[in-house]
Amino acid sequence: MNNSVTHTARLLGAGLRALLVLTLVTGVLYPLAVTGVAQTLFPGRANGSELRTDGRVVGSSLIGQRYDLPQQKGQQSPGPDLRWFQGRPAGGLGVNSINTRYSLLLSGATNLAADNEVLVRQVEDAKAAVIKDNSVPGHPVRASEVPADAVTSSGSGLDPDISPQYARLQVHRVAARNGLPVTRVAKLVADHTEGRTLGFVGEPRVNVLELNIALEALVAKR
């Protein structure tokens, strides 16, 4: 009997020591090591890829945001502030309706089929709005010039980038709204156009927040 109790006690002691060691290694040392390496080698990415202007955080380069006018009474949704470059539609976003203690946006795709009438109407409406908003005197936008990312949301609804084609389509409108030469705004787009990662992964892109931060700086120098 005593031998059995002693054996059980030894097993419990060994199990407790293993638990403490694993907790220390996997719960303390490993996270600290990963955090230390990340903060040393990739501090910007480790801290959320924050973008700052005038010393304040204005967003993350990894998460898209809207550039809208204040919502007016009677409006279902605010209209876009056309002084700024606009990102992709956020058709997949929703509002948390389960835990209503916090006002949270949920990201995701619309999950609508390509021939779904609702999606087709959304795309047609978005295309008409892009043409209307970006047509300025002497530079009308044709339907054939509107790229797919201007009228469709990404899988998450939070894509921070747009295609160079969509960015260039907005140049004349942004220049007119801000009283800037078209050539200077076009150069902003060119300067903020990134190529494919490693030369072959993904597509060329323009980060909308970074572009608008540069636009704000250019307007301030006007």
Side-chain angles (χ1 to χ4, degrees):
M1 183 68 177
N2 290 337
N3 289 338
S4 177
V5 171
T6 302
H7 180 67
T8 301
R10 288 176 178 174
L11 289 177
L12 288 175
L16 180 59
R17 288 194 296 274
L19 175 63
L20 292 175
V21 170
L22 289 173
T23 299
L24 178 64
V25 173
T26 63
V28 179
L29 298 180
Y30 178 73
L32 286 176
V34 171
T35 300
V37 171
Q39 290 291 343
T40 301
L41 301 180
F42 317 102
R45 295 180 182 179
N47 293 318
S49 299
E50 295 176 340
L51 294 178
R52 296 173 178 269
T53 181
D54 296 329
R56 60 188 177 89
V57 176
V58 294
S60 168
S61 63
L62 303 177
I63 301 176
Q65 57 181 273
R66 298 181 63 88
Y67 302 89
D68 292 332
L69 295 167
Q71 187 168 347
Q72 300 298 317
K73 186 176 181 180
Q75 283 185 319
Q76 291 186 343
S77 60
D81 188 341
L82 298 178
R83 295 174 301 168
W84 305 103
F85 285 93
Q86 298 292 315
R88 296 184 66 172
L93 294 185
V95 179
N96 168 47
S97 59
I98 304 299
N99 179 2
T100 55
R101 180 179 177 183
Y102 303 102
S103 178
L104 301 176
L105 283 179
L106 307 178
S107 69
T110 61
N111 289 330
L112 298 176
D115 59 351
N116 183 279
E117 292 183 1
V118 174
L119 179 60
V120 171
R121 184 167 62 253
Q122 289 176 352
V123 170
E124 290 176 346
D125 291 344
K127 192 170 188 176
V130 168
I131 293 172
K132 177 178 178 293
D133 291 343
N134 291 283
S135 292
V136 299
H139 188 82
V141 173
R142 298 188 297 271
S144 59
E145 296 177 306
V146 180
D149 63 302
V151 296
T152 57
S153 63
S154 64
S156 68
L158 297 172
D159 194 339
D161 303 321
I162 57 176
S163 65
Q165 293 88 341
Y166 187 30
R168 290 193 294 267
L169 182 146
Q170 301 182 61
V171 164
H172 284 80
R173 183 254 300 162
V174 170
R177 294 275 178 165
N178 290 283
L180 295 169
V182 170
T183 53
R184 296 188 70 183
V185 179
K187 187 176 185 304
L188 276 186
V189 171
D191 291 344
H192 287 81
T193 297
E194 300 179 51
R196 292 180 172 87
T197 303
L198 301 178
F200 66 93
V201 179
E203 296 293 332
R205 60 200 180 276
V206 180
N207 187 282
V208 182
L209 179 55
E210 293 177 357
L211 180 60
N212 278 331
I213 290 175
L215 173 63
E216 184 179 37
L218 182 59
V219 170
K221 295 177 182 178
R222 184 179 54 186

